[in-house]
Amino acid sequence: MIRRFLFCLLQGERFSPALAVERTALPLVDANEPGEVVPSGRYAGVARAQGSALLPLLDDDVAPGASLRGPLHELKAALPTLRSLGATEATLSLLVAYDGPCHFAFSPEELAELAALGLPLDVSCHPGAA
């Protein structure tokens, strides 16, 4: 069994996820505003130097076997607005959890959409999908 989760991490000193959601209607999650004090975790009690948020693009737990083409096209269309709102860094991250052989594929169209974004893609694979 293979489970994939692809998201785009957006960051910037002046990036406001709340304003980005208002202007783009993208479903940003794990959002932090610049200067916001982190309530828990490794940086608990520390003010964030920059705003950040995750944009989920693919989640096999929510929509198994879904195509990336639509979400990637939406991200590409929104990137100029996100950049104008202070998102100076944007990185794609693909997390793959597997149980048994780890095999997955992207269609040529999905690869073209990924490449058209011009963003780095980090891939991380971990055993234990089940």
Side-chain angles (χ1 to χ4, degrees), residues 4 57-71 105-106 110:
R4 302 167 300 160
L57 300 167
L58 173 73
D59 187 343
D60 281 341
D61 284 345
V62 175
S67 173
L68 285 172
R69 292 181 67 199
F106 294 116
E110 290 171 330

Short mmCIF file of all heavy atoms in Angstrom, two decimals, residues 4 57-71 105-106 110:
data_model
loop_
_atom_site.label_atom_id
_atom_site.label_comp_id
_atom_site.label_asym_id
_atom_site.label_seq_id
_atom_site.Cartn_x
_atom_site.Cartn_y
_atom_site.Cartn_z
N ARG A 4 0.26 8.90 -0.58
CA ARG A 4 1.02 10.10 -0.94
C ARG A 4 0.33 11.35 -0.39
O ARG A 4 -0.89 11.42 -0.36
CB ARG A 4 1.12 10.22 -2.46
CG ARG A 4 1.76 9.03 -3.14
CD ARG A 4 1.56 9.06 -4.63
NE ARG A 4 0.13 9.06 -4.94
CZ ARG A 4 -0.41 9.44 -6.09
NH1 ARG A 4 0.36 9.85 -7.07
NH2 ARG A 4 -1.70 9.41 -6.28
N LEU A 57 -2.17 19.62 -1.90
CA LEU A 57 -2.45 19.43 -3.33
C LEU A 57 -2.93 18.01 -3.64
O LEU A 57 -3.68 17.79 -4.58
CB LEU A 57 -1.21 19.76 -4.15
CG LEU A 57 -0.69 21.18 -4.01
CD1 LEU A 57 0.71 21.31 -4.59
CD2 LEU A 57 -1.65 22.15 -4.68
N LEU A 58 -2.45 17.05 -2.86
CA LEU A 58 -2.82 15.65 -3.08
C LEU A 58 -2.75 14.94 -1.73
O LEU A 58 -1.76 15.08 -1.01
CB LEU A 58 -1.83 14.99 -4.05
CG LEU A 58 -1.97 13.48 -4.26
CD1 LEU A 58 -3.22 13.18 -5.09
CD2 LEU A 58 -0.74 12.93 -4.95
N ASP A 59 -3.79 14.20 -1.41
CA ASP A 59 -3.82 13.44 -0.16
C ASP A 59 -4.55 12.13 -0.44
O ASP A 59 -5.77 12.12 -0.59
CB ASP A 59 -4.51 14.24 0.94
CG ASP A 59 -4.42 13.57 2.30
OD1 ASP A 59 -4.12 12.35 2.37
OD2 ASP A 59 -4.65 14.26 3.31
N ASP A 60 -3.79 11.04 -0.55
CA ASP A 60 -4.39 9.74 -0.86
C ASP A 60 -5.36 9.27 0.23
O ASP A 60 -6.21 8.44 -0.03
CB ASP A 60 -3.31 8.69 -1.09
CG ASP A 60 -2.69 8.78 -2.47
OD1 ASP A 60 -3.30 9.40 -3.36
OD2 ASP A 60 -1.58 8.25 -2.67
N ASP A 61 -5.23 9.80 1.46
CA ASP A 61 -6.18 9.44 2.51
C ASP A 61 -7.55 10.05 2.23
O ASP A 61 -8.58 9.49 2.56
CB ASP A 61 -5.69 9.90 3.88
CG ASP A 61 -4.59 9.02 4.43
OD1 ASP A 61 -4.38 7.90 3.91
OD2 ASP A 61 -3.92 9.45 5.39
N VAL A 62 -7.57 11.23 1.61
CA VAL A 62 -8.82 11.95 1.33
C VAL A 62 -9.38 11.56 -0.03
O VAL A 62 -10.58 11.34 -0.17
CB VAL A 62 -8.58 13.48 1.40
CG1 VAL A 62 -9.83 14.24 0.98
CG2 VAL A 62 -8.14 13.89 2.80
N ALA A 63 -8.51 11.49 -1.04
CA ALA A 63 -8.95 11.17 -2.41
C ALA A 63 -7.95 10.22 -3.05
O ALA A 63 -7.06 10.64 -3.80
CB ALA A 63 -9.07 12.45 -3.22
N PRO A 64 -8.07 8.90 -2.76
CA PRO A 64 -7.13 7.93 -3.32
C PRO A 64 -7.10 7.96 -4.85
O PRO A 64 -8.14 7.99 -5.49
CB PRO A 64 -7.67 6.59 -2.82
CG PRO A 64 -8.55 6.91 -1.67
CD PRO A 64 -9.10 8.28 -1.95
N GLY A 65 -5.89 8.00 -5.41
CA GLY A 65 -5.73 7.94 -6.85
C GLY A 65 -6.11 9.21 -7.60
O GLY A 65 -6.19 9.20 -8.82
N ALA A 66 -6.34 10.30 -6.89
CA ALA A 66 -6.73 11.56 -7.55
C ALA A 66 -5.60 12.09 -8.43
O ALA A 66 -4.43 11.85 -8.16
CB ALA A 66 -7.11 12.60 -6.51
N SER A 67 -5.96 12.82 -9.46
CA SER A 67 -4.99 13.44 -10.35
C SER A 67 -4.46 14.73 -9.74
O SER A 67 -5.18 15.44 -9.04
CB SER A 67 -5.63 13.75 -11.70
OG SER A 67 -4.73 14.50 -12.50
N LEU A 68 -3.23 15.03 -10.04
CA LEU A 68 -2.60 16.27 -9.59
C LEU A 68 -2.88 17.44 -10.50
O LEU A 68 -2.65 18.59 -10.13
CB LEU A 68 -1.07 16.10 -9.57
CG LEU A 68 -0.47 15.29 -8.47
CD1 LEU A 68 1.00 15.06 -8.73
CD2 LEU A 68 -0.65 16.03 -7.16
N ARG A 69 -3.33 17.18 -11.70
CA ARG A 69 -3.42 18.23 -12.72
C ARG A 69 -4.25 19.43 -12.28
O ARG A 69 -3.80 20.57 -12.42
CB ARG A 69 -3.96 17.66 -14.02
CG ARG A 69 -2.95 16.70 -14.66
CD ARG A 69 -3.41 16.13 -15.96
NE ARG A 69 -3.49 17.21 -16.95
CZ ARG A 69 -4.19 17.11 -18.05
NH1 ARG A 69 -4.88 16.04 -18.32
NH2 ARG A 69 -4.20 18.11 -18.92
N GLY A 70 -5.42 19.21 -11.73
CA GLY A 70 -6.26 20.32 -11.31
C GLY A 70 -5.63 21.16 -10.21
O GLY A 70 -5.50 22.38 -10.35
N PRO A 71 -5.22 20.54 -9.09
CA PRO A 71 -4.60 21.32 -8.02
C PRO A 71 -3.32 22.04 -8.46
O PRO A 71 -3.08 23.18 -8.05
CB PRO A 71 -4.29 20.27 -6.95
CG PRO A 71 -5.28 19.19 -7.19
CD PRO A 71 -5.48 19.16 -8.68
N ALA A 105 3.62 6.48 -9.65
CA ALA A 105 3.97 7.13 -10.91
C ALA A 105 3.18 8.41 -11.08
O ALA A 105 2.10 8.58 -10.52
CB ALA A 105 3.66 6.19 -12.08
N PHE A 106 3.75 9.32 -11.87
CA PHE A 106 3.06 10.52 -12.31
C PHE A 106 2.87 10.40 -13.80
O PHE A 106 3.76 9.92 -14.51
CB PHE A 106 3.87 11.78 -12.00
CG PHE A 106 4.04 12.06 -10.54
CD1 PHE A 106 5.28 12.04 -9.95
CD2 PHE A 106 2.94 12.36 -9.74
CE1 PHE A 106 5.44 12.30 -8.61
CE2 PHE A 106 3.08 12.63 -8.40
CZ PHE A 106 4.34 12.60 -7.82
N GLU A 110 0.90 15.25 -15.56
CA GLU A 110 1.19 15.70 -14.19
C GLU A 110 2.63 16.19 -14.08
O GLU A 110 2.89 17.21 -13.44
CB GLU A 110 0.93 14.56 -13.20
CG GLU A 110 -0.53 14.23 -13.03
CD GLU A 110 -0.77 12.97 -12.22
OE1 GLU A 110 0.07 12.05 -12.25
OE2 GLU A 110 -1.81 12.92 -11.56
#
